[in-house]
Amino acid sequence: MEKRALFSSKFLPYMLLLPQLAITIIFFYLPASQAIWQSFLMEDAFGLSSEFVGFENYRYLFQQPEYYRAMVNTAVFSTAVAVLSLACSLLLATQADKNLRGGEAYKTLLIWPYAVAPAIAGVLWIFMFHPSLGTLTRPIRAVGIDWNPLLNGDHAMLLLVLSATWKQISYNFLFFLAGLQSIPKSVIEAAAIDGAGPLRRFWTIIFPLLSPTTFFLIVVNIVYVFFDTFGIIDAVTGGGPAGQTTTLVYKVYADGRLGGDLGGSAAQSVILMVIVIGLTAIQFKYVERKVQY
Amino acid sequence: MAGVTLDTVRKVYAGNVEAVKGVSLGIEDGSFCVLVGPSGCGKSTLLRMIAGLETISGGTVKIGDRVVNQIEPADRDIAMVFQNYALYPHMSVYDNMAYGLKNRGTPKDEIEKRVKEAARILAIESFLERKPRALSGGQRQRVAMGRAIVRKPQVFLFDEPLSNLDAKLRVQMRVEIKRLQRALGVTSIYVTHDQVEAMTLSDKLVVMSGGQIEQVGTPSDVYRRPETRFVATFIGSPPMNILPGKVEGPGRVSVGGQMIQVTDMRDGLAPGSAIEVGLRPEDVQAGTGAGFSALTMDVDFVEELGATQLFHGKVAGAEFVVQASTGQIPADTRSLTLSIDPSNVHLFDPQTTKRLGRV
């Protein structure tokens, strides 16, 4: 159903829209267009002048093997975190959804990691897994694994995946729990009477009914891993060892801020922007419309 | 097919709240039993215990000869129709009905045969491919019934299945449920708070209140001889009038000094003791008659129901309602003389609220 408000003055509706438009323009369109403009410029080594170079920054970017590696890193990182955190939080949410003694405390405790700032979460994890200081490093070494996230790229990636997952579980947990609670209890009961055991009930009734939540969370998690894990990466590995944990976003920072290549960094941001727009479009197109019950 | 036997079944929730207080009941094979009572009387809890959706705190539930206390809902060989239908929203009507059969490993062609058969009986063949959200309330209700009958269970359980439907559809579905149950001959237990549904559907009517059974009987038994004041005022619409009275002698009571003859009265009640006199609004007539007692009533206002009129007022200071065919009594009447048939008077003990009829 379409809602229509009628205004007597032509002026008023625009005034009502103005605050929202102002915020969007000042905080999104302006910086975004600046980034786009910047991506066509190249600065001299001292940052004193810049010159229009067209698509030179982009061409240079796609010639760098480091950029492709960052893409692969991002893909590995985001897939691992999304799958792992969704699976863990779904498991936790199904358990929390049962009527358990102390269930409220359990739920509250599960939400806490979300309140920890990414950088601090990173520091916590590096304290536990630092090759020489980490409290958990010694038991890992004792098992015979030469654990060293500062030198071994796979170890570094694993540590990042774990810390980013740990942080994201709370968020996913909340949504899954809300999703589970919105499934009418009688539907589950009907399935129980219809002869479906707990596992079969989960896969044939609960999981399909949760799919709108799951799709939403997949998109949100991918966006999270792309953009909000910067603090964790910076604190845990700093993109190392040798760029093996540098993701696309971390590379924007490393190239622009540390490398001083503003044009190249801007070009990367523009590419990231396109990716996010794509993800959002997918979300709107498929999630909002098709998977509703 | 199987009957259901309950033996002192109790349900105690956390915090020592007793929702069902030792209910014993035998439901014969193939009969239609309706549990009726106000909300919170424990009728749904009782049904859910039979279904296996609630644990049983005490007593035993038997389906056929089998005690099912420890048996999973899936293995009790029952089917349940829920108030909100509880259809699987992501499955087509066909899959909704086939789900229970699939879970039990029924061969595919057998599933198809049974679903088609159920769909034909319920006249829902034309939307087997649709999702539940594309159906109206009445159609969803049919699918829920279909899901129950394809399984060919020993017992059907209905948990207020019609309360989400509009009034007209409710009457129609009520008739269909009754007809279907007759045709299939499956033992059915039906929970409702609607006394019209209870009266029309049941072979055996069970009136519950406060976690206990108040009365069990055929609908006409319960209507004609309510065992407690609660049953008297719960079954029948408008509810039975209850007047404070006094025992005058064998077969005689008085209300506000006016004598009333009673056919069904316990012997040996002490003259002068207090008693409650119940009269159904449809059982009292205006005017006087031979052998009938008379009561005077002050009329406050009249409700028009079309075919009948309800006269509201007071008899001996207590609220009183009389139902009469329209036109029988002039609507502007302020004072009425009512004639009371002695066989229509119900007496109750003011303390125990139990019926004081012949033993």
Side-chain angles (χ1 to χ4, degrees), chain B residues 77-154:
Chain B
D77 208 0
I78 48 155
M80 186 155 168
V81 178
F82 292 84
Q83 178 173 357
N84 61 2
Y85 323 125
L87 298 178
Y88 312 125
H90 57 298
M91 294 185 194
S92 69
V93 168
Y94 183 94
D95 288 334
N96 260 282
M97 295 207 276
Y99 186 70
L101 296 173
K102 274 185 198 155
N103 289 338
R104 284 174 173 77
T106 315
K108 234 178 168 178
D109 45 341
E110 172 71 10
I111 293 180
E112 181 160 351
K113 209 183 91 198
R114 289 219 218 162
V115 172
K116 290 271 163 66
E117 168 72 7
R120 192 186 53 74
I121 295 172
L122 292 161
I124 50 175
E125 291 154 298
S126 54
F127 31 81
L128 280 177
E129 298 312 316
R130 284 200 212 161
K131 292 271 171 69
R133 65 161 178 270
L135 303 179
S136 70
Q139 290 166 337
R140 287 180 200 184
Q141 185 60 64
R142 278 165 206 270
V143 177
M145 302 266 302
R147 195 170 60 180
I149 66 176
V150 288
R151 295 243 322 275
K152 303 195 172 161
Q154 303 268 11

Side-chain angles (χ1 to χ4, degrees), chain A residues 184-198 200-209 290 292-293, chain B residues 48 51 53 73-74 78-80 82 84 86-91 96 99-104 131 133 147 151:
Chain A
K185 220 177 143 211
S186 57
V187 170
I188 313 285
E189 291 173 345
I193 291 176
D194 261 345
R200 196 171 160 75
R201 268 194 317 261
F202 180 81
W203 289 115
T204 56
I205 306 287
I206 299 173
F207 192 69
L209 290 182
K290 293 207 171 158
Q292 289 294 335
Y293 295 117
Chain B
R48 292 169 59 82
L53 300 174
I78 48 155
M80 186 155 168
F82 292 84
N84 61 2
L87 298 178
Y88 312 125
H90 57 298
M91 294 185 194
N96 260 282
Y99 186 70
L101 296 173
K102 274 185 198 155
N103 289 338
R104 284 174 173 77
K131 292 271 171 69
R133 65 161 178 270
R147 195 170 60 180
R151 295 243 322 275

Side-chain angles (χ1 to χ4, degrees), chain B residues 180-225:
Chain B
L180 196 63
Q181 196 267 343
R182 281 271 161 78
L184 300 171
V186 177
T187 314
S188 301
I189 307 176
Y190 187 107
V191 160
T192 181
H193 61 264
D194 181 322
Q195 52 116 350
V196 179
E197 263 172 42
M199 292 290 288
T200 51
L201 285 172
S202 59
D203 302 323
K204 181 173 219 161
L205 182 57
V206 179
V207 185
M208 291 186 67
S209 164
Q212 279 166 321
I213 292 183
E214 292 275 329
Q215 188 172 358
V216 181
T218 63
S220 70
D221 269 354
V222 174
Y223 177 79
R224 295 224 178 92
R225 264 187 70 96

Side-chain angles (χ1 to χ4, degrees), chain B residues 293-333:
Chain B
S293 317
L295 272 182
T296 54
M297 172 183 176
D298 300 321
V299 179
D300 292 336
F301 63 96
V302 182
E303 275 183 312
E304 298 284 348
L305 298 181
T308 59
Q309 290 173 316
L310 294 182
F311 289 78
H312 292 259
K314 284 199 162 65
V315 169
E319 297 287 337
F320 203 89
V321 179
V322 173
Q323 185 169 20
S325 301
T326 301
Q328 206 178 27
I329 307 170
D332 58 353
T333 308

